[in-house]
Amino acid sequence: MSGAASSIPQANPGAGYRALQAEIDAAVARVLQSGWYILGQEVRAFESEFAGWLGTAAAVGCGNGTDALAIALRALGLGPGMSVVTVSHTAVATVAAIEMVGATPVLIDIEPDYYTMDPRELAEVLMHPPTGAPPIRAVIPVHLYGQPAAMPEIMAACRRHGVPVIEDCAQAHGATLGGARVGTLADIATFSFYPTKNLGALGDGGMLATHDAQLGAEIAALRQYGWKTHYMSDAVGVNSRLDELQAAILRVKLAHLNTQNARRRAIAAAYDEALRGKSLIPAVRAGAEHVFHLYVLRSQERSALQARLREGGIGTGIHYATPVHLQPAYRDRLPLGPAGCRATEAAANQVLSLPMYPELTEAQVSHICDVLRAI
Ligand SMILES: *Cc1c(COP(=O)(O)O)cnc(C)c1O
């Protein structure tokens, strides 16, 4: 959270709006005049543009990124009496979605350098599930901070056990691994358009994507009461629709996403340069293109560092200060992997997020770099 005195906030969705204000205002006016506000031509156009940009057969809009995960789980038949493996070092949404469908989250540890699911521990829990946990029927790796998880290893382990994989891409729109976009590497991918995400709406929004057009059609039905035709539920669904206003805004922003991700990478490179030799710099996985949803430093003297930055008028954030398995709602009741989430707990005590959004000016970036160099 950025302090009130900070002149450069850690995140700034208002700047994201103002940078594209004329285009966004025109899109909003178009929708308001259209007389059609839910699941209409803007949503259809955005879904097809998003699928084209990502490279999947189907993309289906929904209410938010948490619902996208829950709908993906339902589409794969997940429910009570089944476990889903994910990480504790994530937005609580990933774990909440698993419980929304009645399944049991099994939380495993991260690779300390990359903050994403440890594929060796995953292979271990698939072989030897935690005692008392229901059988593992799905796995959700999270591409945290904009960094791809170790997908080849994760997919190999899951394929050996016939377990489907959902990529949580809420923080990684446009990231690639081995030249392929995240969101194209598993069975279903989910995205969030929460305002601060790399592709952010001006409200809530989410998306599911898959290479399987048939599965895409089932997902499209699930988001609206299980309807394939109006007023006829073929399956038990939910109401989680993307609205026309957000879709029209997201169409504007999608056209700028690749450029904005390049700008995020340029800002990250400037921070890296300013921090050279200080061992605080985030590592990028070999073969990956990181899209820096967040630029996350690591320091054993986090509070002092945070205070120094605050004095320089620089806002910071902590993502995430308390791992999911230690939060009051989840503490002591979720099965953990054999590593006991020790790397997760260590990271939670040391991570610090610097300001990161494409609208940071050159002057702001160089001011932040000056303060970093002086540390
Ligand atoms: C933001 C986020 C979500 C949830 O998205 P909402 O649109 O806020 O529901 C899920 N997973 C991760 C990793 C996120 O960062």
Side-chain angles (χ1 to χ4, degrees):
M1 311 309 110
S2 44
S6 304
S7 51
I8 308 176
Q10 191 274 318
N12 194 347
Y17 163 60
R18 284 187 295 277
L20 302 172
Q21 184 168 352
E23 278 184 86
I24 290 174
D25 287 356
V28 167
R30 181 176 75 230
V31 173
L32 295 180
Q33 287 300 334
S34 76
W36 193 288
Y37 306 113
I38 291 284
L39 294 189
Q41 62 182 26
E42 298 288 343
V43 170
R44 276 194 300 278
F46 177 54
E47 288 173 341
S48 118
E49 288 158 12
F50 191 89
W53 167 81
L54 182 60
T56 55
V60 179
C62 68
N64 56 68
T66 311
D67 281 357
L69 285 162
I71 292 169
L73 289 164
R74 291 176 80 111
L76 294 172
L78 268 288
M82 306 176 197
S83 288
V84 178
V85 179
T86 192
V87 285
S88 185
H89 190 65
T90 183
V92 73
T94 317
V95 179
I98 295 168
E99 293 202 325
M100 277 169 70
V101 305
T104 301
V106 171
L107 302 182
I108 66 172
D109 216 347
I110 51 170
E111 298 176 278
D113 287 346
Y114 306 120
Y115 304 107
T116 55
M117 179 177 280
D118 181 347
R120 278 148 308 172
E121 192 183 9
L122 173 65
E124 242 177 282
V125 294
L126 286 168
M127 210 113 68
H128 308 288
T131 38
I136 294 165
R137 295 288 186 250
V139 172
I140 308 180
V142 181
H143 305 302
L144 202 74
Y145 305 154
Q147 167 107 280
M151 291 307 291
E153 294 83 354
I154 289 168
M155 292 307 294
C158 291
R159 292 297 186 240
R160 274 198 300 280
H161 293 268
V163 172
V165 178
I166 299 165
E167 292 176 83
D168 183 344
C169 304
Q171 299 191 4
H173 319 67
T176 64
L177 188 59
R181 285 221 159 106
V182 304
T184 65
L185 305 173
D187 299 292
I188 305 181
T190 66
F191 293 83
S192 164
F193 304 125
Y194 184 80
T196 60
K197 304 287 161 95
N198 290 42
L199 180 57
L202 302 179
D204 274 315
M207 184 75 90
L208 298 98
T210 174
H211 292 302
D212 179 343
Q214 174 63 36
L215 184 58
E218 278 160 36
I219 288 166
L222 282 177
R223 77 166 157 192
Q224 184 169 233
Y225 315 123
W227 290 351
K228 282 181 180 152
T229 53
H230 259 73
Y231 315 126
M232 187 57 71
S233 295
D234 294 304
V236 175
V238 296
N239 173 6
S240 180
R241 298 175 294 217
L242 184 62
D243 69 66
E244 290 282 284
L245 275 174
Q246 298 307 331
I249 292 164
L250 287 162
R251 290 180 69 193
V252 170
K253 290 188 140 194
L254 178 61
H256 296 273
L257 177 59
N258 293 344
T259 313
Q260 294 191 336
N261 279 342
R263 172 75 184 142
R264 285 174 184 268
R265 275 195 296 278
I267 296 166
Y271 292 166
D272 281 353
E273 174 63 29
L275 289 164
R276 214 161 35 175
K278 292 206 172 74
S279 82
L280 305 163
I281 300 173
V284 176
R285 186 184 300 287
E289 193 162 70
H290 196 312
V291 291
F292 292 98
H293 170 58
L294 296 168
Y295 185 96
V296 177
L297 297 178
R298 187 149 183 164
S299 169
Q300 290 177 6
E301 292 143 89
R302 177 171 64 193
S303 311
L305 185 55
Q306 197 167 23
R308 287 286 295 279
L309 290 162
R310 196 182 306 118
E311 282 161 29
I314 299 164
T316 54
I318 297 177
H319 304 90
Y320 297 91
T322 308
V324 176
H325 71 281
L326 297 179
Q327 297 184 21
Y330 300 99
R331 188 174 198 120
D332 296 331
R333 68 175 185 84
L334 298 185
L336 304 183
C341 291
R342 280 188 293 276
T344 293
E345 292 179 16
N349 289 326
Q350 297 177 355
V351 290
L352 185 67
S353 308
L354 295 184
M356 176 53 84
Y357 35 95
E359 298 77 22
L360 281 169
T361 64
E362 283 307 317
Q364 288 175 321
V365 172
S366 67
H367 169 66
I368 295 166
C369 289
D370 288 344
V371 174
L372 291 175
R373 262 186 225 102
I375 284 160

